[in-house]
């Protein structure tokens, strides 16, 4: 769940986000792909996508796990 991810790795500020960082939203997580977009399992219908803005939802946390 997003609560577990929020405690893992290193906290990252939005100004320092890098490709591969995990972005935590309310009820959802995604991976920052760079260029302002995220890779995510968007929905059953849409599948895995890489076309939404990193700011498409309220960001609760950004974590660097590597």
């Amino acid at each position: 769940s997003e609560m577990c991810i929020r405690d893992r790795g290193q906290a990252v500020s939005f100004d320092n986000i890098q490709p591969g960082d995990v972005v935590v939203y309310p009820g959802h997580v995604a991976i920052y792909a760079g260029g302002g977009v995220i890779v995510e399992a968007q929905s059953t219908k849409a599948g895995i996508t890489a076309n939404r803005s990193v700011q498409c939802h309220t960001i609760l946390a950004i974590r660097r796990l590597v």
Side-chain angles (χ1 to χ4, degrees):
S1 79
E2 75 272 6
M3 295 306 290
C4 294
I5 297 295
R6 287 173 66 176
D7 298 329
R8 303 285 186 230
Q10 174 186 358
V12 176
S13 70
F14 185 79
D15 291 340
N16 292 313
I17 194 170
Q18 295 179 5
D21 289 343
V22 175
V23 185
V24 182
Y25 304 100
H28 190 61
V29 296
I31 299 171
Y32 184 64
V37 299
I38 53 173
V39 174
E40 62 180 327
Q42 189 172 351
S43 68
T44 304
K45 184 176 180 179
I48 306 299
T49 63
N51 58 7
R52 285 212 294 181
S53 166
V54 67
Q55 296 183 62
C56 64
H57 298 293
T58 300
I59 297 173
L60 300 178
I62 302 170
R63 306 299 293 189
R64 188 160 300 144
L65 303 178
V66 180

